[in-house]
Amino acid sequence: MKYVDEFRDGELARHIGERLAAEVQPDRAYRFMEFCGGHTHALSRYGVLDLLPSQIRMIHGPGCPVCVLPIGRIDMAIDLALNRGAIVCTYGDTLRVPASEGLSMMRAKARGADIRMVLSPTDALAVARAHPEREVVFFAIGFETTTPPTALIVQQADREGLGNFSVLCSHVLTPAAIDHILTGAAVAGEPGVELDGFVGPAHVSIIIGWAPYVPFAQRWHKSVVIAGFEPLDIMQAILMLVRQVNEGRAEVENEFIRAVTREGNVAAQRRVDEVFEVRESFEWRGLGTIPHSALRLRERYASFDAERRFELPYRTVPDHKACECGPILRGVRQPTDCKLFGNVCTPDHPVGSCMVSSEGACAAHYSYGRFRT
Ligand code: SF4
């Protein structure tokens, strides 16, 4: 099958592994963060880590949409469904993320809240059309990849004059998170993670292009290689990073040329800009409050903003005391550092958000048995 066989060729992977072994300098360490949970997943699933020389260490980043969603935002969605009679629609992974008081959206649904899983924001719009007598809220989460569809349905709802539809917007921005990690300012008193470079996001970069990474590559002197999600994409990106480090370069390179351009999807960016503006600050799970790191609806679309419409207050809620999701999302700990990993906390019974989604570092480690090594 095109785009699967071509990018999962074991012989080619071994060949790149040999190149890596030949080119790494024996007396130095190479520390690369894969920002995306999709890359974390692929590294574990395809055994890419087994093909890397011991000098290369891959570090998980925070690029998993449900992992970075703080409990307080999920509580807001549950409040809408449980206490205010709204139908709340959202993506499947969001339903299982633990919230306050032992709840999750799934458990709130079991208590009678009208919470529905959707595969696309347009499904939420269809629910609003089908139930004009009810308030319908789309709980919108995710990075730049999922933001354009949300923008489109807000504009569609506006055109149709759908008065019972709104969006609880929790869309976040990738460059702000990377910049925050590089400042090492995630948590006061805790040193930031030491990195030589990044495997840059795939899908996010299709939307925003690779140009937004240039400022922090230059400012922090870090190498960045945008990579696709197939194993050969990642192997090639790591080889490109090793070469940059060896040559003392800190540039943005694009391995994922079949999908990513310098400018990205300009039409999608325009739609997003029409509907959303950047928030002053936003709380991320594990990373704390980051300035200019998330979106909210513009005044023009205020009537579709669930936070304003329902006057929803935001309350910071700490994670489970033993859960290490925060340090894992900042790249300073591994899933196996958590004493709940694989015993109390499993994909069937997640305690923290990193065990929920297949993009979460704990779920990837658990599902593909990386922890056994
Ligand atoms: Fe949190 Fe579970 Fe991961 Fe531990 S194993 S850090 S409790 S998600």
Side-chain angles (χ1 to χ4, degrees):
M1 187 192 298
K2 205 169 186 311
Y3 296 132
V4 173
D5 296 345
E6 291 168 346
F7 294 96
R8 296 179 184 176
D9 185 313
E11 268 312 301
L12 281 175
R14 265 185 290 280
H15 175 69
I16 300 174
E18 285 163 13
R19 290 285 355 126
L20 279 164
E23 295 191 30
V24 291
Q25 295 167 3
D27 53 348
R28 73 155 299 161
Y30 299 80
R31 298 150 303 184
F32 302 132
M33 174 176 276
E34 80 273 6
F35 182 87
C36 268
H39 286 133
T40 302
H41 181 85
L43 282 167
S44 293
R45 179 176 178 190
Y46 298 109
V48 171
L49 298 170
D50 298 337
L51 294 171
L52 302 181
S54 59
Q55 291 92 334
I56 298 176
R57 185 174 155 226
M58 300 305 296
I59 299 163
H60 320 293
C64 156
V66 298
C67 301
V68 297
L69 198 59
I71 289 174
R73 301 294 298 182
I74 304 164
D75 285 352
M76 289 163 87
I78 290 175
D79 180 33
L80 281 170
L82 210 49
N83 306 320
R84 305 187 188 220
I87 301 174
V88 177
C89 303
T90 193
Y91 300 120
D93 278 350
T94 319
L95 299 182
R96 301 176 59 238
V97 182
S100 292
E101 298 167 16
L103 279 178
S104 62
M105 293 185 75
M106 191 86 93
R107 287 185 179 153
K109 185 177 170 67
R111 283 195 190 174
D114 197 343
I115 292 173
R116 305 186 187 189
M117 187 188 89
V118 292
L119 298 177
S120 148
T122 53
D123 295 346
L125 215 50
V127 173
R129 287 189 200 107
H131 298 278
E133 76 291 356
R134 302 275 306 274
E135 287 286 339
V136 176
V137 180
F138 176 56
F139 184 21
I141 71 151
F143 290 85
E144 290 88 340
T145 323
T146 51
T147 310
T150 308
L152 286 176
I153 59 155
V154 170
Q155 292 186 323
Q156 181 67 26
D158 186 42
R159 274 193 295 276
E160 292 182 27
L162 271 180
N164 65 328
F165 179 75
S166 58
V167 171
L168 177 55
C169 179
S170 298
H171 285 303
V172 288
L173 301 171
T174 302
I178 296 181
D179 200 56
H180 189 72
I181 287 169
L182 289 174
T183 64
V187 168
E190 184 172 304
V193 61
E194 291 187 11
L195 296 171
D196 298 295
F198 285 89
V199 175
H203 294 160
V204 163
S205 304
I206 293 171
I207 303 296
I208 68 174
W210 58 258
Y213 307 105
V214 173
F216 65 72
Q218 291 174 342
R219 180 177 169 210
W220 299 102
H221 198 75
K222 302 293 177 196
S223 311
V224 180
V225 177
I226 312 298
F229 282 132
E230 294 299 330
L232 288 187
D233 287 318
I234 302 173
M235 294 282 296
Q236 181 65 25
I238 294 170
L239 181 60
M240 291 163 78
L241 283 168
V242 165
R243 286 174 176 166
Q244 282 205 40
V245 171
N246 286 350
E247 293 162 18
R249 291 184 287 122
E251 299 168 5
V252 180
E253 292 182 301
N254 181 16
E255 182 279 337
F256 200 24
I257 52 172
R258 64 188 185 279
V260 173
T261 62
R262 186 182 191 285
E263 292 76 24
N265 185 334
V266 176
Q269 291 167 22
R270 197 175 303 128
R271 290 300 183 121
V272 169
D273 188 52
E274 284 167 7
V275 174
F276 297 106
E277 62 188 9
V278 177
R279 291 177 192 258
E280 280 293 303
S281 62
F282 190 81
E283 185 184 22
W284 294 53
R285 189 182 291 227
L287 302 187
T289 300
I290 308 180
H292 310 125
S293 65
L295 300 174
R296 55 179 254 160
L297 277 86
R298 288 189 182 279
E299 193 60 39
R300 157 87 176 78
Y301 296 101
S303 62
F304 295 100
D305 184 344
E307 279 173 74
R308 285 184 249 192
R309 189 178 184 123
F310 294 94
E311 297 181 356
L312 289 175
Y314 179 73
R315 190 171 61 98
T316 297
V317 181
D319 286 336
H320 186 289
K321 272 192 199 136
C323 176
E324 300 275 12
C325 272
I328 289 169
L329 289 166
R330 296 194 296 278
V332 295
R333 292 211 188 115
Q334 295 282 320
T336 43
D337 294 334
C338 174
K339 57 186 179 219
L340 305 187
F341 178 84
N343 43 65
V344 177
C345 183
T346 64
D348 285 341
H349 300 282
V351 174
S353 59
C354 300
M355 192 58 97
V356 172
S357 161
S358 63
E359 292 182 87
C362 297
H365 267 61
Y366 186 88
S367 302
Y368 300 108
R370 307 306 308 176
F371 58 92
R372 292 196 197 103
T373 59

